[in-house]
Amino acid sequence: MTLFDRVFGGNDYNYARTVAAIDDAIAQYGEGEAVSFPDTAYSLPCYYAVTGEKITTLGEMKAAMATIQAKMTRNNRLHDAFESGIASALCAEFLEALKYIHGATPYEAPECGHLSDAFVRELGVPLVTGDIPGVAVIIGAADTAEEMVSLVKSYQGQGILVTVTGDGIRQLAESGYKTGTNVRVVPLGYEMQSVIHVVSVALRAALIFGNITPGDFPALAKYTMDRVRAFVNAYKPLSDEIVSYGAGAICLGFPVISNETENMFRVPKSLIQQLDTSKWNATSLEARDIKIKITNIDIPVSFASAFEGEIIRRGDMQVEVDGSRVDCFELVSTKDAAEIEDHKIVVEGPEMDEIPVGSKISLSYTVDVAGKNMQPDFESVMERKFHSYLNCIEGVMHTGQRDMIRIRVSKATFEAGFRFKHIGEVLYAKVKSEFEAVVDKCQVHIVVDAEKNKELRHKANEVFAKRDDRLKSMTDESVPVYYTCIMCQAFSPSHVCIVTPERLGLCGAVSWLDAKATNELDPTGPCQVVPKERCIDENLGRYEDVDEAIQKYSHGALEHVTLYSLFQDPMTSCGCFECICGVEPVSMGVVITCREHAGVTPLGMSFSEMASMTGGGVQTPGFMGHGKQFISSKKFLKAEGGLGRIVWMPKELKDAVRERLDAAALELYGVENFTDMIGDETICTDDPEQLLEYLSSVGHPVLSMEPFDM
């Protein structure tokens, strides 16, 4: 039996059962029955990406089988094997889509099944920054549960996104290993065909971030090979079904590593036999040319970005720090070098093992830094990093910032030996490594004393207030330069953010001060200085300098960008945006939604559907991705009348921006409690007439504005 026999045999098996499954579904529901995955704007994403055709009904799915069959050529050539592999993958997608028919919810924990567009977009920034250096696709079960746990933990500890298909899921569950999208260990499903859900993630990444035209398969395959660093680990025995899926994976640039010995064929750099599964990690990273950032931190548990979404429940909690109940804060303070002893970590007060289990404690940590290039402006930049640093610790959960932090440490992490001093070790190591260009010396002072923290918190708040006063006074007009941010070009090659004091990066993670610090730390890096000396139109926010930067850093893909307009050359989006806005033509206002909101907007579209109209570095007049903080900026939609155009937002988003938005609206329009005038899902969902009725009843300022000049 040859490799071709196995691929073709698996393909034939997948095709036959897909045809039978579609026929059964049509017999039960009829050809007009809708078919789709939930929470995606890409219909059946893999078929759409490969062919450019959307499938919405069972009848269309039945007809599409002819397209799949056309790929099932049977010449003994690698091209034919790869085409058959893609055909098998598309069959797998159809089989999985049929599970969701008629609104069914086929998967229960620990299986995840289909992964939403929001999940794909959330991967954007960490994939770009290298916090997720690769994607492991594990198929089947190891000889022992311990072996499976060891492999998964090795990847998780390196920050790699792990997906598991087959009985390996059961092995992880029986071992009590924590899985889920929040810890980036994703059990797809027990059936082999469920592996298509991670393939779908890769292909949607190409559509969302890469601006790949659906149906342009050569460009699609090049994108996944060059920019989605995925690989497959397949445990023996390998069925012909799995082998056919493997051919599809290799076609997309994802090498397959296996310990199979029966009828196992080797293809250099693509199909690799490695009998020693303890070497799979090293073999996989080498095959995909993945370089892991090694950070040696002296703590007794793992440290990796994979733990950032970990949730510590109350019953699993050793201790809790809660700034809303007790005095807590985190602070960076610039000192003279003579005042600092490098790597000095002091814990003032009781250590964790001296505190009763489940206690809610008062805790603060002050990180003193010194360096000849250090600037006070960088203090807040460093503090915002603390959230990520502490969440990367296995068994530690951190939320909030400044004096409203919340930290939970799990019992398991405590039992592994983790103590308060290790918080200091993490903060020291990360500040020194990430800010090495400006920080020469660093020390950490941790206080676990309620009385002392009460006094220290008051002093810290004075520092925060002074910073806020300075930031509030910073406007686009008050600074001499803007900055580019092209971090996302690893996935969205033509996208460029222009970051200003009043318009942060659309991901919400890069402010003007962040960009300034990044430029200082890495002068040749993603944040480059953009002069603002040649203003063409102040109202639009158009500058010759910005246009020149856009042309240069988009490699000629873009010629013009305005900073304050939704219609005239709006800024591009990569796909990582926190929010997206679009024109609502009935009210002549603007609807905003965010990735946390899964519902439909008055535009008749969800976040995913709106987001599919922009992203990938394209300009879409009338739609724009942006950060949450930009909503309350006096520069938001300035060219179209300003933030008074906002007519609808999800309630959760309204509450998050309420204070700043109300203050800005009061200053601009003399309107009090403006946020209450904005509709949300409790007032209307997909009915623009109902929205207009509400806007009229509250006297929304949009009703007195001129119609859009579209």
Side-chain angles (χ1 to χ4, degrees):
M1 180 175 288
T2 68
L3 176 61
F4 299 107
D5 293 332
R6 300 205 65 189
V7 173
F8 297 155
N11 185 197
D12 289 339
Y13 166 74
N14 288 324
Y15 179 83
R17 65 197 184 103
T18 304
V19 169
I22 294 172
D23 287 343
D24 288 346
I26 289 175
Q28 182 175 359
Y29 299 106
E31 289 193 353
E33 179 70 21
V35 60
S36 67
F37 289 110
D39 303 320
T40 178
Y42 297 96
S43 188
L44 301 192
C46 296
Y47 189 85
Y48 178 53
V50 170
T51 68
E53 299 173 4
K54 287 196 171 187
I55 291 176
T56 59
T57 67
L58 285 174
E60 291 172 354
M61 182 182 280
K62 175 75 172 177
M65 293 305 294
T67 301
I68 292 177
Q69 189 176 37
K71 291 182 172 293
M72 296 167 58
T73 52
R74 290 297 179 257
N75 300 305
N76 287 349
R77 300 178 306 183
L78 281 178
H79 172 77
D80 295 73
F82 291 154
E83 284 285 286
S84 289
I86 295 299
S88 275
L90 299 180
C91 286
E93 181 176 55
F94 285 10
L95 289 169
E96 286 296 294
L98 291 172
K99 292 181 179 179
Y100 289 87
I101 203 165
H102 224 57
T105 53
Y107 285 101
E108 295 182 356
E111 298 172 284
C112 293
H114 169 74
L115 300 166
S116 69
D117 286 355
F119 175 80
V120 180
R121 293 179 190 280
E122 286 167 5
L123 296 179
V125 171
L127 283 167
V128 165
T129 60
D131 289 330
I132 299 179
V135 181
V137 182
I138 300 175
I139 298 177
D143 287 341
T144 65
E146 291 78 13
E147 181 184 333
M148 174 61 71
V149 168
S150 177
L151 180 66
V152 169
K153 192 172 182 65
S154 72
Y155 288 134
Q156 190 183 28
Q158 293 167 324
I160 288 173
L161 171 65
V162 182
T163 66
V164 186
T165 300
D167 281 340
I169 298 173
R170 192 170 286 109
Q171 290 181 320
L172 294 174
E174 290 172 353
S175 301
Y177 199 81
K178 190 176 294 185
T179 62
T181 55
N182 61 324
V183 291
R184 296 180 186 159
V185 177
V186 185
L188 297 173
Y190 289 113
E191 291 184 279
M192 291 300 108
Q193 69 204 31
S194 64
V195 73
I196 195 62
H197 295 302
V198 68
V199 178
S200 173
V201 168
L203 298 187
R204 276 180 285 160
L207 301 181
I208 291 170
F209 301 112
N211 194 26
I212 300 298
T213 302
D216 186 352
F217 187 75
L220 184 75
K222 186 178 189 308
Y223 185 94
T224 55
M225 177 178 287
D226 293 345
R227 299 180 184 274
V228 182
R229 295 185 178 275
F231 55 86
V232 179
N233 288 172
Y235 282 102
K236 65 178 182 182
L238 301 185
S239 66
D240 289 352
E241 177 192 359
I242 297 173
V243 172
S244 69
Y245 295 148
I250 292 170
C251 185
L252 294 172
F254 309 152
V256 178
I257 294 89
S258 179
N259 62 344
E260 178 65 274
T261 56
E262 295 294 324
N263 293 315
M264 176 64 181
F265 307 89
R266 301 176 186 177
V267 178
K269 297 184 179 180
S270 295
L271 184 54
I272 303 168
Q273 185 182 54
Q274 175 54 267
L275 301 182
D276 185 351
T277 58
S278 69
K279 296 180 180 179
W280 275 9
N281 183 303
T283 302
S284 301
L285 300 192
E286 182 181 355
R288 208 62 182 91
D289 194 28
I290 295 172
K291 303 292 190 294
I292 300 296
K293 299 176 184 177
I294 299 175
T295 304
N296 294 316
I297 303 178
D298 187 17
I299 59 175
V301 292
S302 296
F303 181 92
S305 63
F307 299 107
E308 282 193 84
E310 191 175 9
I311 304 298
I312 310 299
R313 305 296 180 190
R314 185 173 297 277
D316 299 324
M317 180 184 77
Q318 180 70 25
V319 293
E320 180 179 42
V321 176
D322 186 352
S324 66
R325 305 288 182 87
V326 291
D327 290 303
C328 308
F329 67 88
E330 55 191 15
L331 177 70
V332 173
S333 180
T334 304
K335 303 285 188 183
D336 290 332
E339 300 178 78
I340 294 179
E341 180 183 336
D342 192 46
H343 205 167
K344 180 181 180 181
I345 298 171
V346 174
V347 178
E348 185 177 339
E351 248 300 356
M352 204 178 300
D353 50 9
E354 302 173 67
I355 297 172
V357 177
S359 295
K360 192 182 296 289
I361 63 168
S362 171
L363 180 140
S364 70
Y365 39 91
T366 301
V367 179
D368 295 324
V369 295
K372 58 181 179 294
N373 296 319
M374 180 62 195
Q375 301 176 29
D377 281 348
F378 300 160
E379 292 174 351
S380 59
V381 176
M382 294 178 186
E383 282 170 19
R384 282 198 297 276
K385 293 281 191 176
F386 290 175
H387 172 73
S388 175
Y389 297 164
L390 297 189
N391 273 321
C392 285
I393 305 170
E394 182 181 10
V396 174
M397 183 181 77
H398 176 285
T399 60
Q401 60 179 325
R402 292 189 168 184
D403 69 335
M404 290 302 290
I405 59 173
R406 188 179 193 183
I407 302 172
R408 283 184 174 179
V409 179
S410 74
K411 293 175 182 176
T413 290
F414 169 78
E415 290 165 3
F418 188 86
R419 300 294 182 264
F420 293 131
K421 65 178 181 179
H422 294 119
I423 291 177
E425 291 288 355
V426 168
L427 295 175
Y428 170 79
K430 296 301 290 181
V431 167
K432 283 294 292 285
S433 63
E434 289 201 16
F435 296 93
E436 60 182 348
V438 296
V439 175
D440 300 326
K441 299 172 73 175
C442 174
Q443 67 184 20
V444 183
H445 186 197
I446 300 170
V447 177
V448 192
D449 182 294
E451 286 302 315
K452 184 157 189 178
N453 277 331
K454 186 175 183 179
E455 175 188 349
L456 292 175
R457 185 179 192 176
H458 177 73
K459 293 180 179 179
N461 277 324
E462 291 179 348
V463 174
F464 299 146
K466 289 179 181 177
R467 286 189 198 156
D468 288 344
D469 288 342
R470 182 173 181 273
L471 287 171
K472 286 176 183 176
S473 67
M474 290 181 66
T475 64
D476 289 0
E477 293 78 16
S478 71
V479 297
V481 298
Y482 301 146
Y483 292 93
T484 65
C485 181
I486 57 171
M487 281 195 294
C488 291
Q489 282 196 357
F491 274 78
S492 187
S494 61
H495 169 61
V496 182
C497 266
I498 300 295
V499 182
T500 78
E502 295 181 79
R503 180 173 188 158
L504 79 171
L506 55 84
C507 64
V510 181
S511 70
W512 185 85
L513 287 176
D514 293 321
K516 180 175 183 282
T518 300
N519 178 260
E520 294 270 353
L521 296 168
D522 184 5
T524 62
C527 296
Q528 295 295 303
V529 173
V530 180
K532 49 182 289 272
E533 299 168 351
R534 294 170 291 166
C535 182
I536 300 171
D537 189 316
E538 184 178 344
N539 192 53
L540 289 172
R542 165 158 279 165
Y543 295 82
E544 285 187 39
D545 313 84
V546 170
D547 283 347
E548 288 175 2
I550 286 289
Q551 291 174 36
K552 177 180 179 181
Y553 293 107
S554 72
H555 312 291
L558 300 170
E559 295 184 355
H560 306 289
V561 159
T562 62
L563 302 181
Y564 311 138
S565 177
L566 183 61
F567 288 105
Q568 297 190 44
D569 300 315
M571 194 179 298
T572 60
S573 303
C574 59
C576 301
F577 36 77
E578 291 184 303
C579 304
I580 187 167
C581 66
V583 172
E584 198 292 291
V586 174
S587 64
M588 283 292 168
V590 167
V591 163
I592 303 175
T593 189
C594 56
R595 68 176 68 251
E596 294 89 348
H597 184 68
V600 177
T601 70
L603 301 184
M605 294 185 285
S606 65
F607 176 88
S608 292
E609 291 165 331
M610 290 173 66
S612 70
M613 301 182 67
T614 184
V618 299
Q619 290 175 310
T620 309
F623 287 85
M624 180 176 66
H626 55 87
K628 292 179 180 178
Q629 289 189 32
F630 191 41
I631 295 170
S632 57
S633 167
K634 286 180 281 187
K635 297 297 194 296
F636 184 66
L637 307 181
K638 178 185 174 186
E640 284 79 38
L643 51 83
R645 289 280 187 186
I646 303 171
V647 296
W648 191 95
M649 284 193 288
K651 188 175 186 305
E652 181 181 359
L653 182 59
K654 281 172 57 174
D655 292 341
V657 301
R658 178 181 298 275
E659 183 177 348
R660 294 180 61 180
L661 183 57
D662 281 348
L666 181 61
E667 182 177 344
L668 289 172
Y669 311 108
V671 175
E672 294 187 353
N673 300 317
F674 172 66
T675 307
D676 290 333
M677 296 181 174
I678 299 172
D680 58 43
E681 70 275 18
T682 67
I683 295 162
C684 66
T685 53
D686 59 352
D687 186 348
E689 294 295 340
Q690 188 178 359
L691 174 62
L692 181 61
E693 183 179 337
Y694 174 76
L695 299 176
S696 300
S697 70
V698 297
H700 193 291
V702 75
L703 302 177
S704 61
M705 293 183 177
E706 292 293 322
F708 287 123
D709 182 13
M710 296 187 288

